[in-house]
Amino acid sequence: MVARPSLTGVFAERTRVSDLINITAGRRILPRCALFGVTANQDVYLTNVNTLSVWFQKFSTSAIDFQHGNLSELLSPIRTGVYRCRSSPTDNATQSADSYDLTIVVRPSVVNFTIGSPQSGQYAFVGDNVSAECCVTGYPKPVISIDSTTVTEKTSTLTDGVWTVCAERSVSATGPAGSNQQFQCSATLRQIVNCSEGSPIPANVVTDCKAALANLTSMDTSILVAARTCSQALTVVNGNINKTDSDNYQSRATITCNTGYMLNSLAWSDCLATGSWSVATLQCSGFA
C-alpha cells in the first residue's frame, strides 16, 4: 500500500491553498509531514514545488503513522516558495493534496542614502536640481519613497533571497540660502498582506508577521544650500581688496592697507552660503 502524505503542523494551520504564510526571517519554524497507512520503510519529503528542492528528508518506520516533528531551523528568504509533502521528491502521484505558499519576510532597511549636486555633492546652489539616491534591502521587494514620493527603481538584485533595490529622484534645492535642506528616504514592502485574515496561524507568528509587513523604515540626510553670490557690497576703507573668486560663494576678500595706514579690522572676509560677507567692512586707519 502506498502511503498518502499530508501536511500537518505550521503548514496545515492554513486550510486554503491560496493562503499565504508570512514569517519573518530569523524565526524558527517546525514544518511537518505525515504519512498514513505506512506498511514498510518509506521516505518522506517536504519539497518546493517550483524548484523541487528538498527542505527535509526523513526515513519513516513501519509504524502506522509517521510524523516528522523534530526539524526546527532559522528561516532565511531562500526558503520562500510553494511546498508540498511527498513520498518522493518528484513523484506527483504521492504528493499531498494541499500546497502552501510560504513567504519569508525580511524587514526593509535603508542601507545608503546620498545627495549628489553639480558641486560634487558638497553643497547646492538655490534652484539647483540635486540627485537623491537611496538603496534599501528587504523581501518581498521593497518600495522606495523619497520625500513622500514613490520612485521607480533604478536597479534591483536578488541575493540569497534578499532584494537590494536602488532608486533615484531629482529634487530642487529650495533653500533658504545658508540652510541645510533635509531629505528623507523611506522603504516599505511591496506586498502588504493581513496575516490575521483566513484560518489562524500561531499567535506569535501572526504578531511577528503583522509587525514585519507594517514596518516602515527611513533615513534622513541633508545638503547645504548656498547663494551663488554675495550681493551685499563689501565696504573697504583706506585700502585695496583682492578677491579670490569675485563675489561668488566661498570667495575670500583680502585687504591691503594704503601707504601710511595700518589694519584696523580683520584682514579678510569670506563670501558665506547666506549670500553675505563674513565681515561687512575691512578697514585701515592712519598712524597715530
Side-chain angles (χ1 to χ4, degrees):
M1 176 180 178
V2 177
R4 184 69 173 174
S6 64
L7 288 169
T8 64
V10 172
F11 286 95
E13 297 284 350
R14 307 287 259 180
T15 59
R16 299 195 306 272
V17 174
S18 61
D19 283 341
L20 293 175
I21 304 174
N22 297 276
I23 305 172
T24 51
R27 292 187 60 84
R28 291 190 179 273
I29 187 173
L30 187 66
R32 294 171 178 171
C33 286
L35 292 175
F36 299 96
V38 176
T39 56
N41 286 347
Q42 191 172 359
D43 289 351
V44 59
Y45 301 84
L46 183 62
T47 305
N48 187 313
V49 174
N50 298 323
T51 65
L52 296 183
S53 60
V54 176
W55 189 330
F56 68 75
Q57 173 189 3
K58 178 73 175 181
F59 287 103
S60 66
T61 67
S62 58
I64 298 299
D65 295 326
F66 166 78
Q67 188 173 70
H68 180 92
N70 59 3
L71 179 84
S72 177
E73 71 167 56
L74 288 173
L75 291 178
S76 68
I78 60 174
R79 288 297 188 195
T80 292
V82 179
Y83 286 89
R84 282 186 175 174
C85 187
R86 300 168 182 258
S87 295
S88 168
T90 59
D91 187 0
N92 289 332
T94 61
Q95 68 178 344
S96 56
D98 292 331
S99 63
Y100 291 88
D101 189 341
L102 175 67
T103 300
I104 312 301
V105 175
V106 179
R107 288 180 174 90
S109 176
V110 179
V111 295
N112 188 42
F113 186 30
T114 58
I115 303 297
S117 73
Q119 287 71 45
S120 302
Q122 298 178 357
Y123 59 89
F125 290 128
V126 176
D128 272 355
N129 285 328
V130 298
S131 174
E133 183 173 4
C134 183
C135 294
V136 305
T137 58
Y139 190 91
K141 183 182 285 189
V143 174
I144 299 176
S145 297
I146 298 177
D147 286 352
S148 301
T149 298
T150 301
V151 289
T152 303
E153 66 184 55
K154 181 180 178 181
T155 61
S156 62
T157 56
L158 184 64
T159 305
D160 294 332
V162 179
W163 283 104
T164 299
V165 181
C166 296
E168 188 176 13
R169 182 188 174 202
S170 180
V171 185
S172 177
T174 57
S179 67
N180 286 298
Q181 185 169 337
Q182 297 290 323
F183 300 90
Q184 184 180 76
C185 173
S186 59
T188 188
L189 298 180
R190 185 175 299 277
Q191 298 175 357
I192 305 299
V193 179
N194 187 345
C195 305
S196 62
E197 293 179 353
S199 301
I201 57 178
N204 62 330
V205 176
V206 173
T207 301
D208 199 57
C209 172
K210 290 169 67 177
L213 291 173
N215 185 269
L216 179 70
T217 185
S218 63
M219 179 184 289
D220 295 336
T221 191
S222 63
I223 192 170
L224 174 65
V225 180
R228 291 183 180 275
T229 62
C230 283
S231 57
Q232 173 190 358
L234 182 62
T235 302
V236 181
V237 179
N238 297 321
N240 297 303
I241 285 292
N242 179 55
K243 297 177 180 177
T244 58
D245 189 18
S246 187
D247 292 329
N248 296 323
Y249 172 55
Q250 293 185 331
S251 177
R252 170 165 286 191
T254 305
I255 188 171
T256 302
C257 293
N258 295 332
T259 303
Y261 291 85
M262 62 182 299
L263 188 65
N264 193 29
S265 69
L266 287 177
W268 66 85
S269 181
D270 294 324
C271 181
L272 303 177
T274 56
S276 60
W277 292 97
S278 59
V279 178
T281 302
L282 297 179
Q283 62 182 355
C284 300
S285 301
F287 293 113

